[in-house]
């Protein structure tokens, strides 16, 4: 009898261990593998630059990234060659990933651990036959995507020569037409190859900067406790404008979420008197943090508004783009409200003293209320050009501007030839003869459709993937819990054995009873 108990006990232990190993392998939080890898590579090691992806965040991270290209490394944490390769991959990832990236927004470098069972299906979709395997392509093509090695026209390509950091960067340089070096440091040798503002297509990258600027603006408002009884109404009005017309869907949603609960989240009596009391994380001195464009924003770098030097462009450029993008989206009947909201918002919440005073004085010069979008859009454009003209002189005399982005009267002839009535007119002239209808048309298209074109493309691709997935779902019944086949078989066998032994033990007990009576 004791042998039966022993066997039962052994099976129970086996069953428990098996369940534990399955649940732990499928429930590894995304960061824990990289934690293990960092610990293994020794104390004092930097945290990883490459982004850890798994089946749950793969699509969303690649869909959201502003980067033009992505590299996905498929590896297995038990593979010694992968462990040795890690330092090479990280050397290159340092250049492209993170807030301190040397060349941000160009390539997103990621990795997927195929030895983690939750990723098995994902790795299968990319026909991973060896570790490490590196793939290259536009991030959106990875979303819901696959690679089978057969179709020659695929936008995703395996990287066939990236075995060392040098060779990988050489391969990347070949694709980008760049000459990045592993020794590059931030703002040194910066080629800004994707930041040519005179290229009309570049504005599509500015939507990320509008999100960045929106998020920073609201973080500043909280950090400096700028919500006061006399400023609350302005903030609420500007947020209403954002809910209706912000070019980024996630900023519209974020503003709406906050606006609905504004009084509960930011009660006027909750501000700490002492600056030190300001908390961090999701609370600022007892009031909730904004996260106005979602938790992923701000990302810590600029795309369209990236300067060639530290501390040039960035936030104020992003803010201008946000204001222009709001202006072209309002309806005629909203134009006066949008004008006053913009003027009051800048006046009360833009902490550059000279900027806000100067902007407000331009606002005050407007004597007749706006009755249509066109007038408001053209007013903002003129006001911005007035600032440009003023700064042209200041920056050239003090040398404070960005040498690669000198102030100009905008738009240039190259950007909008039709905006100039006289094609022979000098762009530098102080009194350009503008064709205002053409300027309005240009601004509407530039800050309207073009600004959000990357998002629109991504949304279309995503909708297509969702449709495909939905039709697949109709064909295949889905399992809520996906357990690997081998493990499922082992559980089934163990359960049967356990059941059979329990049955055998019960019948032995029964057979004993009659003898006792
Ligand atoms: P920005 O001037 O920031 O412009 C961003 C982008 O907008 C440009 O790259 C271009 O693509 C586009 N653009 C340029 N001109 C126009 C236009 N007329 N209409 C539409 N789009 C245009 N700095 C000061 O030193 N003094 C000030 O008084 C001052 N006032 C400011 C007021 C406001 C409301 C803001 C938002 C900023 C102000 N700044 C001021 C900052 C300054 O205007 C620039 O933002 C900063 O110097 C960075 O310049 P930039 O080269 O990135 O281009």
């Amino acid at each position: 009898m004791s042998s039966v108990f022993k066997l039962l006990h052994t099976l129970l232990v086996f069953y428990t261990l098996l369940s534990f190993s399955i649940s732990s392998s499928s429930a590894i939080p995304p960061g824990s593998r990289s934690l293990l890898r960092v610990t293994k590579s020794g104390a004092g090691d930097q945290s990883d630059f490459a982004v850890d992806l798994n089946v749950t965040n793969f699509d969303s991270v690649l869909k959201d990234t502003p980067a033009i290209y992505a590299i996905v490394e498929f590896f297995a944490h038990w593979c010694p060659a992968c462990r040795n390769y890690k330092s090479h991959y990280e050397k290159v990832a340092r250049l492209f990933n993170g807030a301190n990236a040397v060349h941000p927004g160009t390539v997103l470098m990621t990795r997927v651990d195929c030895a983690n069972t939750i990723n098995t299906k994902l790795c299968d979709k990319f026909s991973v036959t060896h570790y490490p395997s590196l793939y290259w392509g536009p991030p959106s093509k990875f979303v819901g995507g696959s690679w089978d090695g057969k179709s020659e026209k695929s936008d995703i390509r395996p990287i066939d020569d990236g075995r060392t950091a040098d060779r990988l960067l050489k391969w990347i340089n070949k694709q980008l037409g760049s000459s990045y070096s592993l020794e590059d440091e931030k703002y040194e040798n910066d080629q800004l190859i994707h930041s040519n503002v005179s290229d009309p297509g570049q504005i599509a990258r500015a939507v990320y900067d509008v999100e960045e600027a929106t998020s920073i603006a609201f973080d500043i408002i909280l950090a400096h406790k700028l919500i006061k009884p006399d400023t609350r109404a302005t903030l609420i009005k500007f947020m209403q404008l954002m809910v209706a017309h912000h070019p980024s869907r996630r900023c519209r949603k974020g503003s709406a979420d906050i606006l609905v609960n504004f009084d509960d989240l930011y009660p006027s009596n909750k501000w700490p008197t002492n600056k030190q009391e300001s908390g961090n994380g999701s609370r600022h001195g007892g009031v909730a943090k904004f996260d106005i464009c979602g938790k992923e924003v701000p990302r810590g770098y600029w795309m369209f508004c990236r300067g060639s030097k530290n501390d040039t462009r960035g936030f104020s450029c992003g803010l201008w783009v946000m204001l222009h993008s709001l202006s072209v989206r309002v309806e005629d009947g909203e134009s006066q409200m949008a004008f006053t909201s913009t003027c009051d918002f800048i006046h009360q919440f833009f902490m550059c003293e000279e900027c806000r005073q100067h902007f407000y004085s331009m606002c005050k010069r407007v004597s007749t209320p706006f009755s249509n979008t066109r007038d408001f859009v053209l007013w903002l454009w003129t006001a911005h050009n007035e600032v440009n003209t003023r700064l042209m002189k200041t920056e050239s005399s003090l040398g404070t501007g960005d040498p690669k982005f000198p102030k100009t009267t905008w738009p240039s002839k190259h950007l909008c030839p039709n905006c100039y009535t006289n094609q022979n007119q000098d762009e530098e002239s102080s009194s350009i003869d503008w064709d205002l209808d053409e300027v309005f048309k240009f601004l509407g298209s530039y800050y309207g459709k073009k600004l959000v074109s990357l998002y629109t493309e991504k949304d279309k691709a995503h909708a297509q993937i969702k449709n495909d997935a939905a039709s697949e779902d109709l064909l295949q019944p889905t399992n809520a819990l996906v357990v690997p086949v081998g493990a499922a078989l082992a559980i089934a066998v163990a359960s049967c054995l356990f059941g059979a032994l329990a049955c055998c033990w019960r019948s032995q007990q029964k057979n004993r009873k009659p003898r006792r009576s």
Side-chain angles (χ1 to χ4, degrees), residues 237-405:
K237 250 172 52 185
F238 194 75
M239 285 174 78
Q240 285 167 342
L241 186 64
M242 293 199 341
V243 171
H245 299 299
H246 199 287
S248 155
R249 186 186 302 144
R250 63 178 128 197
C251 300
R252 288 198 298 273
K253 183 183 177 303
S255 325
D257 290 347
I258 293 167
L259 211 47
V260 167
N261 303 302
F262 197 84
D263 284 337
D264 294 337
L265 288 169
Y266 310 105
S268 41
N269 56 356
K270 261 283 174 84
W271 293 97
T273 46
N274 180 348
K275 271 202 171 186
Q276 259 61 51
E277 285 176 49
S278 269
N280 47 21
S282 62
R283 311 288 296 176
H284 274 249
V287 291
K289 194 175 175 296
F290 271 114
D291 283 336
I292 194 121
C293 299
K295 289 203 188 316
E296 290 76 32
V297 189
R299 300 177 182 87
Y301 58 87
W302 302 95
M303 303 283 293
F304 176 83
C305 288
R306 179 170 150 82
S308 68
K309 296 199 298 188
N310 203 358
D311 296 333
T312 58
R313 311 198 74 221
F315 177 54
S316 58
C317 166
L319 202 54
W320 270 126
V321 179
M322 174 173 85
L323 299 183
H324 290 296
S325 68
L326 286 170
S327 76
V328 299
R329 282 172 171 78
V330 300
E331 302 289 329
D332 284 344
E334 301 166 311
S335 52
Q336 177 63 17
M337 182 280 286
F339 164 72
T340 52
S341 302
T342 304
C343 289
D344 292 345
F345 181 78
I346 292 297
H347 189 224
Q348 294 175 359
F349 297 110
F350 190 27
M351 291 192 68
C352 160
E353 186 59 24
E354 180 194 306
C355 310
R356 67 174 169 189
Q357 292 301 346
H358 184 232
F359 191 73
Y360 205 58
S361 70
M362 293 192 287
C363 290
K364 282 202 282 194
R365 288 206 306 255
V366 177
S367 50
T368 331
F370 291 107
S371 60
N372 59 60
T373 312
R374 181 184 184 275
D375 290 352
F376 173 47
V377 167
L378 290 176
W379 172 81
L380 191 63
W381 162 74
T382 312
H384 192 169
N385 267 341
E386 192 175 318
V387 176
N388 292 345
T389 310
R390 209 155 53 87
L391 292 186
M392 261 180 234
K393 293 176 199 136
T394 318
E395 287 183 354
S396 66
S397 66
L398 298 175
T400 46
D402 190 316
K404 293 210 172 149
F405 300 91

Side-chain angles (χ1 to χ4, degrees), residues 374 378 381-382 419 421 434-441:
R374 181 184 184 275
L378 290 176
W381 162 74
T382 312
C419 292
T421 318
W434 297 104
D435 181 334
L436 293 181
D437 286 337
E438 287 297 329
V439 174
F440 177 56
K441 219 162 84 185

Side-chain angles (χ1 to χ4, degrees), residues 31-42:
S32 56
R33 181 187 50 74
S34 60
L35 268 179
L36 284 174
R37 297 170 98 208
V38 168
T39 316
K40 270 182 200 159
S41 50

Side-chain angles (χ1 to χ4, degrees), residues 11 33 77-78 81 85 112 120 137 150 200 220 243 245 330 342 365 375 383 442 468 500 513:
L11 275 168
R33 181 187 50 74
H77 62 256
W78 49 256
Y85 183 63
V112 175
T120 306
K150 285 173 204 138
I220 292 173
V243 171
H245 299 299
V330 300
T342 304
R365 288 206 306 255
D375 290 352
F442 170 76
D468 292 350
K513 275 180 194 165

